[in-house]
Amino acid sequence: MKLKKAGLNPNLVDSEDHIESNMAKGWLTQAQADEARKIKEEAKAEGEAQLKMPMIENIAKGRVQKFLKENCLVDQEFQFGDGDKATVAQWLAKQDKDLKITAFKRFTLVAD
């Protein structure tokens, strides 16, 4: 995680559009954005030099699945009151098959 070592939140620089948006909001400086772009390019070049395409594709699929499991509300695993672990989708289905999530808010706590 070179981005974290450089003091950058990887969630703020996951795509070029996201970088531009976060700079406009004041969450990233131009220097941080340039550093993130440089780190991402170096990591990409290192990875391509060492791995063959099928391996790269499998790694990418695994990373996407992990990202979705960690960031998609219904795919996140929690330990609910009865002590069993289940994803939010599984827990909702167990409560009532017609129960649906209509909205949610995401908060990030940052210690200064």
Side-chain angles (χ1 to χ4, degrees):
M1 284 277 154
K2 292 181 179 184
L3 289 169
K4 285 188 178 182
K5 287 182 183 177
L8 297 168
N9 182 345
N11 291 333
L12 296 179
V13 295
D14 60 350
S15 70
E16 190 59 36
D17 289 340
H18 210 185
I19 290 172
E20 295 297 327
S21 171
N22 289 328
M23 284 176 40
K25 294 175 186 173
W27 296 351
L28 285 174
T29 65
Q30 182 65 46
Q32 289 172 321
D34 292 341
E35 180 69 15
R37 289 179 182 117
K38 179 182 169 191
I39 291 170
K40 288 172 67 173
E41 285 300 316
E42 289 172 358
K44 181 180 175 184
E46 288 173 10
E48 289 174 351
Q50 296 176 6
L51 300 175
K52 297 186 180 193
M53 190 52 69
M55 282 182 81
I56 293 172
E57 289 174 1
N58 286 337
I59 291 169
K61 286 178 189 175
R63 287 183 180 175
V64 168
Q65 289 174 346
K66 180 182 177 190
F67 175 84
L68 292 175
K69 185 175 182 179
E70 293 173 351
N71 292 286
C72 289
L73 177 65
V74 294
D75 293 332
Q76 291 181 5
E77 187 174 82
F78 288 97
Q79 182 170 348
F80 293 94
D82 54 5
D84 293 332
K85 287 186 178 182
T87 65
V88 173
Q90 292 167 337
W91 185 83
L92 287 173
K94 183 178 175 183
Q95 304 306 309
D96 182 346
K97 67 178 182 158
D98 295 325
L99 194 59
K100 293 185 177 19
I101 296 173
T102 59
F104 70 94
K105 302 285 183 199
R106 180 179 177 139
F107 296 91
T108 302
L109 300 177
V110 180
D112 290 318

